[in-house]
Amino acid sequence: LPDHLGSKMYWPIYEEADRLGCAIAVHGGAHSGIGLDHMNVYAPVHALGHPIGQMIALGGMIFNGVLDRYPNMRVGFLEGGIGWFITCIERFDRSHDTHLEYQLRDDDMPGPKIGDKVSEYIQRHIDEGRLFIGCEGGELALDYAVSVVGNKPFFYSSDFPHEVTKDSCQEEIQEVLDDEQLTTQDKEAILHGNATRFYNL
């Protein structure tokens, strides 16, 4: 992409999504130019490219106030797992506290303000049903992520039939069902409730 997803060049798309009250899905699959171009094996490119792409996309949208400006639009970050999201919550808080002097966005843009905790800003958008994160079965950080932000943003996303099979999807769903750290309500949210809300089914 020629610019990050918080850029004004994409605002007409968000404006139309806001008007329609529809969902926008963000995919982290563009791996060029983020330090992986000369990797000699593809597995780490795929493993790192998706979450790094998601982190860049979330950062652009959060710090440029896209979710505030277009409150009827829902944004889902899919196919990167959820570990990157926990990293963003931690790192965004600290950097927002210490590096505001390097802000280059317009002063009138919505988004986290001086003194705001970015984690609380993100939590508000989760609670208001604007921000969703796709997860997979058996993710090591899923239980922790639910304990940090609740179960509202996470939903199982498989990209079936690309790179997965019916059997592997059923295996991942069973991993969520077998997770003893998740409550019944967590599992219901992750396996269908949140997807229903995201896609407005």
Side-chain angles (χ1 to χ4, degrees):
L1 295 174
D3 211 339
H4 63 86
L5 290 186
S7 169
K8 288 183 176 180
M9 71 178 292
Y10 299 112
W11 288 10
I13 296 169
Y14 303 148
E15 184 175 353
E16 183 66 5
D18 188 68
R19 185 184 73 80
L20 295 171
C22 71
I24 297 234
V26 177
H27 185 271
H31 306 323
S32 179
I34 58 174
L36 302 173
D37 299 277
H38 302 293
M39 198 70 84
N40 64 323
V41 179
Y42 186 66
V45 175
H46 181 268
L48 298 172
H50 280 274
I52 291 170
Q54 301 283 29
M55 294 169 93
I56 294 168
L58 180 67
M61 295 182 94
I62 290 295
F63 285 96
N64 287 281
V66 169
L67 298 177
D68 282 325
R69 189 175 291 275
Y70 304 104
N72 296 317
M73 175 182 75
R74 298 174 305 287
V75 181
F77 294 82
L78 310 180
E79 293 190 53
I82 52 90
W84 66 270
F85 181 62
I86 296 301
T87 300
C88 284
I89 289 174
E90 178 181 342
R91 299 300 301 168
F92 287 174
D93 266 348
R94 180 163 178 78
S95 294
H96 183 63
D97 286 344
T98 58
H99 289 76
L100 280 181
E101 67 271 24
Y102 298 108
Q103 178 171 280
L104 298 177
R105 69 182 189 186
D106 294 343
D107 290 337
D108 65 341
M109 279 189 185
K113 304 299 184 189
I114 294 173
D116 288 350
K117 285 186 66 70
V118 181
S119 56
E120 292 175 357
Y121 178 88
I122 288 172
Q123 186 71 58
R124 175 170 62 85
H125 287 292
I126 288 171
D127 291 340
E128 293 175 358
R130 294 190 192 102
L131 181 60
F132 294 82
I133 310 294
C135 67
E136 299 162 3
E139 289 201 57
L140 295 175
L142 182 57
D143 302 337
Y144 178 68
V146 170
S147 77
V148 173
V149 299
N151 65 30
K152 290 181 180 179
F154 306 112
F155 67 92
Y156 176 71
S157 61
S158 69
D159 197 22
F160 179 84
H162 179 238
E163 297 179 354
V164 296
T165 65
K166 177 178 70 71
D167 291 339
S168 66
C169 289
Q170 289 177 332
E171 190 175 306
E172 289 196 335
I173 290 169
Q174 193 62 50
E175 288 173 337
V176 173
L177 291 170
D178 291 342
D179 189 330
E180 296 180 357
Q181 301 301 311
L182 296 174
T183 67
T184 299
Q185 291 78 18
D186 294 336
K187 295 171 186 179
E188 289 175 351
I190 291 166
L191 292 177
H192 68 88
N194 293 338
T196 298
R197 291 190 303 116
F198 177 63
Y199 292 111
N200 195 24
L201 299 175

